[in-house]
């Protein structure tokens, strides 16, 4: 029997990943907290984490880390795929390399990490993979199309992978938070941006920035990272968790509205937020 269960958390240098790593450590997991921010990794290391530099899109590095965990600690019991980043802007102007990077991080990376840990989980007939998605994987709105597209991809990945792994005793769960209040997100939204006069989307972008910032200041719209981390722990402890969960009252309300409204009505509502004032 393993002396201590092992968790591997990506995106652990901030936000949901960092909060989840702390929650898992408090429950006596040996936590491999990985990310790309050197100073944040140093801080995690000083707090007793197995903090490692890892780019989730680097296939050889992922394989090397999981091989090390398998050899030294008997394998990964909990994988939390939390690495990610936002990407906003009209789809016509999205740089394709940025879109590829988004897909590599939000879709290919989680699958790659899952493929790396799954042989051990299947052999032990136990384990859980938690993918941190977004309510943005269940609806779309103008101005963040690339992000929505990648999160829709993670939804499909999670649901298909879950069905395939059920016979092996491995659980896959998708957690879809509403907007999450983190230092990174707040800094991005509060940043003053200027747009060229000849940019055909200039006015649209200004209205998008204003609407997004206003939403963050509306009570009840966003949740903090630890709220999501507590939900991750609830899922990890559950004997038979559901395929996916929404975290945050505003997320539940948005998904319900999107379900009840026609596509044309939903379109009008999303565009109304961006109407000139």
């Amino acid at each position: 029997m393993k002396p201590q269960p092992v968790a591997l958390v990506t995106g652990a240098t901030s936000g949901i990943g960092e909060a989840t790593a702390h929650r898992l450590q408090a429950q006596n997991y040996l936590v491999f907290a990985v990310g790309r921010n050197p100073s944040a990794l140093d801080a995690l290391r000083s707090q007793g984490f197995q903090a490692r530099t890892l780019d989730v899109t680097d296939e050889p590095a992922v394989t090397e880390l999981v091989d090390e965990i398998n050899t030294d600690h008997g394998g990964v019991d909990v994988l939390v795929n939390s690495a990610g980043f936002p990407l906003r802007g009209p789809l016509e102007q999205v740089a394709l390399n940025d879109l590829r990077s988004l897909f590599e991080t939000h879709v290919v990376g989680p699958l790659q990490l899952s493929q790396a840990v799954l042989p051990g989980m299947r052999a032990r007939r136990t384990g859980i993979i938690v993918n941190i998605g977004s309510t943005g994987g269940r609806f779309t709105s103008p101005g963040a199309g690339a992000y929505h597209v990648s999160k829709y991809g993670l939804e499909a990945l999670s649901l298909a992978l879950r069905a395939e792994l059920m016979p092996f005793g491995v659980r896959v769960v998708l957690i879809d938070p509403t907007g999450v209040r983190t230092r990174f997100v707040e800094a991005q939204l509060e940043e003053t941006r200027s747009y060229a006069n000849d940019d055909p989307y200039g006015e649209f972008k200004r209205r998008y920035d204003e609407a997004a910032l206003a939403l963050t200041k509306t009570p009840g719209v966003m949740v903090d990272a630890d709220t999501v981390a507590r939900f991750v722990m609830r899922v990890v402890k559950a004997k038979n968790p559901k395929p996916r969960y929404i975290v945050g009252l505003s997320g539940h309300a948005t998904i319900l509205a999107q379900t009840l409204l026609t596509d044309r009505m939903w379109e009008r509502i999303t565009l109304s937020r961006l109407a000139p004032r």
Side-chain angles (χ1 to χ4, degrees):
M1 180 179 291
K2 295 170 65 174
Q4 192 175 17
V6 177
L8 171 57
V9 182
T10 71
T13 53
S14 65
I16 296 170
E18 181 182 12
T20 300
H22 281 282
R23 288 277 172 184
L24 285 161
Q25 186 187 59
Q27 292 295 316
N28 197 40
Y29 279 83
L30 177 64
V31 180
F32 282 78
V34 303
R36 297 186 300 176
N37 183 321
S39 59
L41 288 169
D42 286 341
L44 289 168
R45 202 169 289 116
S46 70
Q47 295 165 24
F49 291 95
Q50 296 290 320
R52 305 294 176 84
T53 300
L54 182 72
D55 181 338
V56 298
T57 69
D58 186 339
E59 187 173 351
V62 167
T63 300
E64 182 180 353
L65 175 60
V66 174
D67 285 347
E68 176 194 337
I69 296 173
N70 289 339
T71 300
D72 295 345
H73 303 284
V76 175
D77 300 290
V78 175
L79 168 64
V80 181
N81 286 309
S82 182
F85 63 93
L87 180 61
R88 56 180 172 168
L91 280 168
E92 182 183 350
Q93 296 180 341
V94 167
L96 295 184
N97 279 340
D98 289 343
L99 181 61
R100 292 185 183 100
S101 179
L102 199 69
F103 256 87
E104 287 288 331
T105 302
H106 289 175
V107 181
V108 180
L111 177 57
Q112 181 178 308
L113 279 145
S114 298
Q115 290 177 340
V117 303
L118 276 172
M121 287 184 175
R122 283 191 295 99
R124 296 188 300 274
R125 298 195 67 81
T126 186
I128 183 165
I129 297 170
V130 181
N131 292 325
I132 305 299
S134 166
T135 51
R138 302 204 198 187
F139 67 88
T140 59
S141 59
Y147 182 80
H148 287 294
V149 169
S150 70
K151 287 300 184 179
Y152 265 78
L154 183 59
E155 296 275 324
L157 166 67
S158 298
L159 295 174
L161 191 62
R162 175 187 173 90
E164 293 169 357
L165 293 174
M166 286 182 70
F168 301 104
V170 179
R171 298 162 291 160
V172 178
V173 179
L174 178 69
I175 294 181
D176 287 334
T178 186
V180 179
R181 191 179 304 280
T182 66
R183 294 185 300 274
F184 178 76
V185 169
E186 289 182 328
Q188 272 215 326
L189 291 174
E190 291 174 358
E191 176 187 352
T192 301
R193 301 185 180 206
S194 59
Y195 302 105
N197 291 331
D198 61 351
D199 182 350
Y201 291 100
E203 183 59 27
F204 170 86
K205 291 175 182 176
R206 282 187 284 273
R207 295 198 304 268
Y208 180 92
D209 291 347
E210 292 170 1
L213 185 59
L215 277 176
T216 67
K217 298 184 181 303
T218 303
V221 167
M222 302 185 79
V223 297
D224 60 37
D226 193 57
T227 297
V228 184
R230 290 199 303 272
F231 214 95
V232 172
M233 291 309 307
R234 176 175 151 188
V235 165
V236 168
K237 293 177 181 179
K239 291 183 179 180
N240 186 28
K242 296 191 297 185
R244 54 184 179 175
Y245 297 85
I246 297 170
V247 180
L249 290 177
S250 65
H252 282 280
T254 302
I255 300 305
L256 178 61
Q258 194 269 342
T259 302
L260 295 175
L261 298 173
T262 66
D263 289 343
R264 195 177 295 278
M265 291 168 67
W266 178 257
E267 183 178 66
R268 288 196 190 112
I269 289 172
T270 57
L271 287 174
S272 68
R273 294 188 301 109
L274 301 173
R277 290 171 174 75

